[in-house]
Amino acid sequence: MLVIAIDGPAGSGKSTVAREVAARLGLDYLDTGAMYRAVTFAAIRRGIDPEDAELVAELCRNLTLEVAETVSVDGVDATIEIRSPEVTRAVSTVAANPAVRRELVERQREWAAAHGGGVVEGRDIGSVVFPDAPVKVYLTADDAERALRRSREMLELHYDQVAADIARRDHADSNRPVAPLGVAEDAVALDTTDRPVEAVVDEVLRLVADRS
Ligand code: DC
C-alpha cells in the first residue's frame, strides 16, 4: 500500500501539491483537515460548544462523513461551509480533542486501506497516522507568503485578519499536547515560498520514485 504523507502549516501549498501528485500517480487524495473542519461544522450547526470535549467527541463518533471532491456531513453538503471563518476560528480547539483525533485517525487508516493507499495531507500524517509511509514530505513557506496565498482564497477577509488567524492556528496546532504539527524524523522538508507548484510536484515525484 503506497501512502504519500504531506504535512505542513496552513498556506504551505499542501492541498495544491497533494492533489497534483495524486493526479500524476493515479492515486486517490484525502484532505484530513477537511475532516476536522467537518466535525467543527457539525458541532456549530447543532449548537454544541467546540470547547465541550465530551459532547464533541460523542458527536464525532456518530457522524457520517464523506470527504472527497465534495464534503458531506450526515448527508448534507458542507463543502463551502467548512471553509467559513467561523469554522476556521474553532477548528484548532476541535483538532486538539484527543478523542476526536483517535476517531478521525482510525477513519483515515480505514480510508487508505479501502483505497489501496493514496496521497494524504494534514498535520500529523507522517508522524502519527502513517508512520511507515515510504514518502513523507513537510511543506513550509514564509509566514507572509502563506498569509498572502490564503487571503487570495478568502476574498471576504482582509490580509491582516488572515495573517493573524494563521499565526494563531500555527501556534495552537504546534503546541497542543496530542499529535502537534511538526516535521517527522524521516520527512523531507521543502520550502515552497519562491517555487512554482510544478517544481515542488516534480520533487515529490522524484522522492516517490526513489523511495517506493
Ligand atoms: O489544513 P486545514 O487548514 O484545512 O486544517 C484545519 C485544521 O485542522 C488545522 O488548524 C489543524 C487541524 N488538522 C489537524 O490537527 N490534523 C490534521 N491531520 C489535519 C488538520
Side-chain angles (χ1 to χ4, degrees):
M1 184 171 87
L2 174 60
V3 171
I4 299 170
I6 302 196
D7 291 302
S12 58
K14 289 189 308 290
S15 300
T16 313
V17 169
R19 278 176 198 280
E20 183 61 22
V21 167
R24 298 268 287 268
L25 294 173
L27 293 171
D28 287 326
Y29 154 75
L30 179 64
D31 174 1
T32 63
M35 298 172 78
Y36 290 93
R37 287 174 177 276
V39 175
T40 308
F41 163 79
I44 293 171
R45 208 167 79 110
R46 294 187 195 185
I48 295 173
D49 179 356
E51 302 275 352
D52 189 330
E54 281 198 16
L55 273 185
V56 175
E58 193 190 323
L59 164 81
C60 177
R61 282 191 289 268
N62 296 312
L63 211 57
T64 304
L65 269 186
E66 278 162 48
V67 175
E69 275 309 303
T70 58
V71 174
S72 96
V73 182
D74 276 343
V76 177
D77 187 317
T79 314
I80 307 286
E81 288 88 340
I82 62 162
R83 309 279 164 202
S84 70
E86 197 185 6
V87 168
T88 301
R89 261 194 305 277
V91 68
S92 287
T93 303
V94 171
N97 182 325
V100 168
R101 299 203 73 83
R102 258 197 309 280
E103 173 68 26
L104 294 188
V105 166
E106 197 178 309
R107 294 191 193 200
Q108 288 154 20
R109 291 178 179 149
E110 285 168 4
W111 178 93
H115 289 248
V119 181
V120 185
E121 69 145 287
R123 302 290 192 287
D124 61 341
I125 307 306
S127 55
V128 173
V129 188
F130 298 108
D132 298 328
V135 181
K136 298 180 186 180
V137 178
Y138 187 90
L139 298 184
T140 54
D142 287 354
D143 293 356
E145 172 67 19
R146 294 193 290 120
L148 195 64
R149 291 177 187 169
R150 270 294 147 94
S151 60
R152 284 196 200 111
E153 293 165 8
M154 305 286 293
L155 295 177
E156 73 274 30
L157 294 181
H158 193 265
Y159 172 87
D160 293 340
Q161 281 174 291
V162 176
D165 170 67
I166 287 186
R168 184 186 53 74
R169 277 205 297 147
D170 279 356
H171 184 265
D173 296 340
S174 307
N175 290 288
R176 67 183 174 222
V178 188
L181 170 68
V183 192
E185 239 173 58
D186 47 353
V188 174
L190 299 178
D191 190 325
T192 68
T193 308
D194 297 314
R195 300 179 75 188
V197 173
E198 272 312 305
V200 180
V201 169
D202 284 344
E203 187 150 353
V204 176
L205 292 176
R206 269 197 297 279
L207 285 173
V208 176
D210 287 350
R211 292 191 177 192
S212 58

